[in-house]
Amino acid sequence: MQLSSLARMRVQVMRKISAPLLRSPSLRSRLIGWRAQPIDGNSCDEDLAVLLGFGDIVGASKLDSRIPEQARAEMAESAMMVEDDACPDVRQQDRILLVDDHRIPARFYVPSGVAPHSPGIVFYHGGGFALGDLDTHDRYCQHLARDAAVRVISIDYRLAPEHPFPAGIEDGVNAFRCVARRAREFDMDPSRIAVMGDSAGGNLSAVVAHRTKNDTLRPALQALTTGQHRLSARRTPREAGGHARRSDRCAASPGQSPGGPADAP
C-alpha cells in the first residue's frame, strides 16, 4: 500500500519522537516488563518487546478492531516506522505472473554481483491473510536479497475478506509453479528455489511446499519465519517460530497441510 504524503510525514515525525524515548532505560524497562512476560516458558526478545509495547501506546497493536482498509493503512505505517534503509545495490522490478487468465502481481529483487543461474527465493508476506502487500515488506526483501546474495521474488497474493479462502493459497501455489517453470527467465536455478515467508506467509510457504511435493519442480527449501503452522504438538512456540526445513522432510499428514486440515490457514 502506497502511503499518502501526509501519512509519510506522520511516520517521520513519530520516528523522530520515538527514537530518543525508546533509548530511555526506564521506559525500556517498563515496556519490557509489560510485553516480555513468559508464555509456556518462552519470553519475547527484549528489543521486540519494546517495539510491541510502544505499538500498544500509540494504538498500532489493535488492528483486529479495524476495518480492513484501516488495518492495512496502519500496518503500512507501522512497517515504515521500523523499516531499514533502502539497499541501493539491489535492483527491483514490478512484474506480473500470468497464470491462465489470472494476473498475480510480484516484485523481483536482484542484488548486484549475484551469479547467473543461481538459487532464488519466492517470498510470501505476512499479515494474517488479510493485511500486507509488496510495499510493507519491500525493505525486508531488499535486505534479504542483498544479505543472502540471491534473487528474490515477492508475491502479492489475494487477501481476505475480499477474496475468501482458498484464493490466497491458489495464488501462492500458482505463483511458485509459474516462477519455477520460468526460472531461466528470472535467471534462477529451478532446482534451487526456496519458499519463504513470515507469519501467515510462513504458513503459505509450508502449504505451497506441501501442495507441490509431487511436482517435478518443487521447493528445495522452506524458510519459515514465525510461521503459523502446526508441525508437531510437542514443539514449543520458540522451536516452531522460525526455522528452515528441507521440503522432502515436510511433516504433514496425507490430505493436510502443515497449516491444518485441507490447507485451511
Side-chain angles (χ1 to χ4, degrees), residues 15-16 20 28 45 50 79 97 103 109 111 115 117 119 122 137 145 166 175-176 218 224 241:
R15 288 184 66 151
K16 289 183 179 180
R28 281 184 61 88
D45 175 83
V50 170
L97 303 178
R103 298 162 64 88
Y109 300 85
H117 196 59
V122 177
H137 289 64
F176 174 81
R218 56 185 182 272
L224 314 179

Side-chain angles (χ1 to χ4, degrees), residues 15 19 35 39 65 75 91 111 142 165 171 178 224 258:
R15 288 184 66 151
R35 266 296 202 158
I39 299 176
S65 64
M75 180 178 180
R91 176 170 52 88
Q142 289 184 39
F165 174 84
D171 282 357
C178 182
L224 314 179

Side-chain angles (χ1 to χ4, degrees), residues 40 44-45 48 57 88 105 112 140-141 163-164 169 171 190 204 262 264:
D40 295 333
C44 182
D45 175 83
L48 179 58
I57 293 173
S112 62
Y140 184 99
C141 288
H163 304 283
I169 299 294
D171 282 357
L204 183 49

